[in-house]
Amino acid sequence: GQLLMGLEDTGEQMMWIGEQAMTVGRVSAPESVISAIDRVTPRQIQEAARHLFDLGLFLLGELQHLF
């Protein structure tokens, strides 16, 4: 809901197009992105988190100490 409501503004639509083009090389319809997100299962999220932790791609502690 929030994604689609945010895209009601012309500036936000242009940002969406630019971000999509730069990050994935194509512009997807917001509805197709929402559909893809809805298809993600809890198991897939757990596997992704496990992979990130295995690679050590996480921070421990407060972020304010990094700056």
Side-chain angles (χ1 to χ4, degrees):
Q2 185 177 1
L3 172 63
L4 293 177
M5 287 176 46
L7 292 176
E8 291 179 359
D9 175 55
T10 304
E12 290 299 320
Q13 290 175 6
M14 297 301 106
M15 289 293 294
W16 172 266
I17 291 169
E19 289 172 357
Q20 289 282 303
M22 295 296 292
T23 57
V24 294
R26 66 182 188 285
V27 179
S28 300
E31 294 83 6
S32 68
V33 173
I34 291 168
S35 177
I37 292 169
D38 287 342
R39 289 191 306 269
V40 174
T41 66
R43 183 179 181 101
Q44 290 172 313
I45 294 170
Q46 289 173 337
E47 289 173 5
R50 189 173 300 113
H51 177 72
L52 291 174
F53 281 105
D54 286 347
L55 293 176
L57 298 175
F58 60 93
L59 298 173
L60 296 176
E62 297 180 27
L63 293 177
Q64 66 186 359
H65 297 292
L66 298 175
F67 302 103

